[in-house]
Amino acid sequence: MRANRRARVALALAAVMLLTVAGGRLWLRAGASITHTEGSPSFVAITFDDGLNGDTTRAAADTLGRYGAPATFFVVARTVVEQPELARRLRRQGHLIANHSYDHPRAKKSDLRYTQAARAQATFYDAFGECPAFFRPPWGVQTPFVNAAVKRARMRTVLWDVEVADWDETDPARLAANVLAKVRPGSIILLHDGEDGHLGADRSTTVAALPAILEGLNARGLTPVRLDQLLGTPGYTSDCR
Ligand SMILES: [Zn+2]
């Protein structure tokens, strides 16, 4: 009798442990983020974080345009309120705008609501009549609550697989060489045209490195495309309010 009860307790414990592990897996999968894509033999995506940043963003977009290379800009939504014409210009030039929060705070583990994603979506909707479908959390910090808020706001979280600390770099040639050493088919490249959404941040080394990056990609038969093309899903949604 006692042995029977022990067996039942052991069984119940095993069931709880199994459920916990499976639940944890599901929880993680619900918050899964994209860092690159497989099966993309010749495409890569160049992404910029932390704009809009006035002339720096403009220079980056124009350089990309000269090479016929569309990119994805993860924009701090507050800067769209301040620089609406620049936001419209990026879209006219064929670049994709994505969501990088409203004003770039670091997500706290205790923040159960994480209103940044939806607040940014509302700002983008007011400016464009549609919302980005891709989100990148500031500093890449994800919590279960951030992931849930991103899903509610009809977005997918996109991180990166190529990062070279371009914000610390002073030599454009070295920056480009570091990117080209890491990139592979299907890569998502992280660069910065701003700093936390502050207007006037110096990202001149990154902008100066773009021609060498684009020429290097071309030499390897890699074509830069927007994230929507790389991932094969729409870049904007109107189902976001
Ligand atoms: Zn950022």
Side-chain angles (χ1 to χ4, degrees), residues 49-50 100 104 137-139 192 196:
D49 279 14
D50 294 351
H100 194 42
H104 211 272
W139 292 283
H192 293 78
D196 306 351

Side-chain angles (χ1 to χ4, degrees), residues 64-173:
L64 292 158
R66 277 201 299 281
Y67 285 83
T72 301
F73 288 79
F74 282 91
V75 167
V76 176
R78 196 203 65 236
T79 68
V80 174
V81 180
E82 296 158 355
Q83 304 163 74
E85 182 45 43
L86 179 52
R88 284 193 286 271
R89 188 175 191 271
L90 289 182
R91 279 164 55 92
R92 273 201 309 275
Q93 288 178 309
H95 302 298
L96 183 69
I97 290 192
N99 185 327
H100 194 42
S101 83
Y102 182 77
D103 54 8
H104 211 272
R106 188 183 287 270
K108 293 193 188 83
K109 281 196 184 117
S110 58
D111 181 359
L112 308 190
R113 288 179 63 231
Y114 193 70
T115 55
Q116 285 278 323
R119 189 176 178 200
Q121 289 295 66
T123 305
F124 289 121
Y125 190 89
D126 286 347
F128 311 136
E130 59 185 356
C131 300
F134 303 120
F135 178 79
R136 181 173 285 162
W139 292 283
V141 174
Q142 292 175 279
T143 74
F145 307 111
V146 168
N147 294 337
V150 169
K151 209 171 166 192
R152 279 200 304 276
R154 302 286 188 271
M155 291 183 287
R156 299 167 77 187
T157 297
V158 179
L159 299 178
W160 57 86
D161 67 341
V162 176
E163 183 264 289
V164 296
D166 63 311
W167 59 89
D168 257 349
E169 186 54 79
T170 53
D171 178 1

